[in-house]
Amino acid sequence: MGDEVLFYAGKKFVAKATILGLFRNRPLATAVWGVDEAHKTWEHIMALGDVAEFEMPAENVLRALRVPVPLRSLTLVRAEERRRFLGMDDRVVRSRPEGNSSRPEQAPTLNREELFRSLSTLKTHTREQRPSRHKPVTLLWAIGRLAARQDRMVEWETFRREVAPLLQDFGLPDSKVTPEYPFWHLRTSGLWCVEGIDQPSTPTRSQLAASRARAGLTMDAARLLRRSLARAEAIGLLCSKYLGDVDRDELLERVGLAGYTRASGEQPTSGPSGGMAPRRPVTSSPPARDQRFVEQIKVMYGHECQVCGSRVETRYSHYSEAAHIRGLGRPHEGPDELANLLCLCPNHHVEFDRLAIYIDEDWSVRRNSTGAVEYQLKLHADHAIEQEHLRYHRGLCGRI
Ligand SMILES: [Zn+2]
């Protein structure tokens, strides 16, 4: 248990995972894989976790490990050998083992800047000068799958079943529901791939079904979007650029990204607001925050709001709120520390939490709808705010 397993296909390593446990269960194996001609099955089963997809040429590594190439069966490698030849974190997965031949390593084909350039320049059909929402809604759905650790590639029938209702509910009011369009045409974004069908024109639904075509984010796009900062930024960008007048709380909840509409990550509670359908009740309680930090930040600023400087007076004292820049718990997983806290008045707390204002690198406080500077953030000499948390918040705001 805890050992790592690498998956090999087409002379490459294509994924890694951690072994959570080994067990034998013939009925389960038969149900999953069936039996061969001799009525045998693969009854030794591994339970895997932390599955991560990537691509890395395997030949040099296998030769260094003195393993015959190509790999044909389960091969065990001692941990020290693995560490020597196969560093597996993000930085070294792309680098070559030392002392090997000069075959160039396959470089990632997409970097962060290209990802966001592609996301901000999606080609969308326009209808009465309003861009179609099919592609951004589909991308949010795909990002939701990544966040839920579901498979990256999805067969057409599943795609249609899951995406068509989203296009129905969140597409332009009078646009036709055509899931085959984003399924096929998102390829032009450079972030999307389609497998199992290849033809010059848009395939029909029956062609997609007959070929059992699959589509999803490219491996490179998925690799970038599995990181929390890039994911927050992508969601913020897609929402603010293409989905301005969509009910984001509703849409993001439907694609499994509830919490991304607020810095705190708290989910909107159901209520009589605007006559909308009641939302799923919140079943988990917010993560515990350390009251010492809450008190510390309020005392440090004497209850004065770091944005506007005002101080709410109560009968015997003053009132302020401690706001986490990057919410604790799901989905933002921010740390509970002073560097991630602000002392705010109730109004600015709501505006910061609901992404109406954000704080720039130079500490200016800007209105998100216009970008206009409204205040300079007040900073106590003992309060070292972590810029990365503010960057994450700007990402949620669609400001990259
Ligand atoms: Zn204020």
Side-chain angles (χ1 to χ4, degrees), residues 266-279:
E266 280 165 20
Q267 298 179 33
T269 46
S270 56
S273 59
M276 286 180 297
R279 300 199 164 94

Side-chain angles (χ1 to χ4, degrees), residues 304-311 343-349 357 375:
E304 283 181 10
C305 173
Q306 282 182 261
V307 171
C308 66
S310 76
R311 194 155 84 136
C343 176
L344 298 178
C345 71
N347 284 353
H348 284 119
H349 188 184
I357 54 173
Y375 298 94

Side-chain angles (χ1 to χ4, degrees), residues 296-297 299-302 306 377-385:
Q296 205 176 333
I297 193 106
V299 168
M300 186 184 281
Y301 286 94
Q306 282 182 261
L377 193 77
K378 286 146 194 63
L379 273 173
H380 192 282
D382 294 336
H383 188 200
I385 294 177

Side-chain angles (χ1 to χ4, degrees), residues 224-243:
L224 293 169
L225 289 166
R226 282 195 184 99
R227 297 175 187 168
S228 59
L229 174 62
R231 179 155 68 228
E233 290 174 325
I235 295 165
L237 177 71
L238 288 168
C239 285
S240 58
K241 187 161 176 69
Y242 304 101
L243 302 166

Side-chain angles (χ1 to χ4, degrees), residues 117-182:
R117 200 179 312 133
S118 299
L119 288 175
S120 55
T121 55
L122 291 178
K123 288 194 191 70
T124 50
H125 291 288
T126 50
R127 195 183 177 88
E128 292 162 8
Q129 293 174 338
R130 298 210 297 171
S132 158
R133 299 172 189 153
H134 281 194
K135 285 183 181 176
V137 167
T138 302
L139 285 171
L140 285 173
W141 166 83
I143 293 170
R145 288 184 64 89
L146 286 185
R149 294 171 181 264
Q150 291 175 300
D151 289 341
R152 182 175 58 86
M153 299 295 286
V154 175
E155 239 182 64
W156 161 249
E157 285 299 338
T158 308
F159 181 92
R160 186 183 56 77
R161 198 171 55 244
E162 293 191 9
V163 175
L166 297 171
L167 302 182
Q168 173 80 50
D169 295 346
F170 301 102
L172 289 177
D174 47 358
S175 80
K176 269 200 246 166
V177 175
T178 51
E180 60 275 27
Y181 272 73

Side-chain angles (χ1 to χ4, degrees), residues 1-5 17-22 47-50 79 82-83:
M1 281 200 294
D3 282 347
E4 228 170 39
V5 59
T18 307
I19 300 175
L20 302 177
L22 302 171
L48 301 177
D50 297 329
R82 169 221 166 277
R83 275 197 293 277

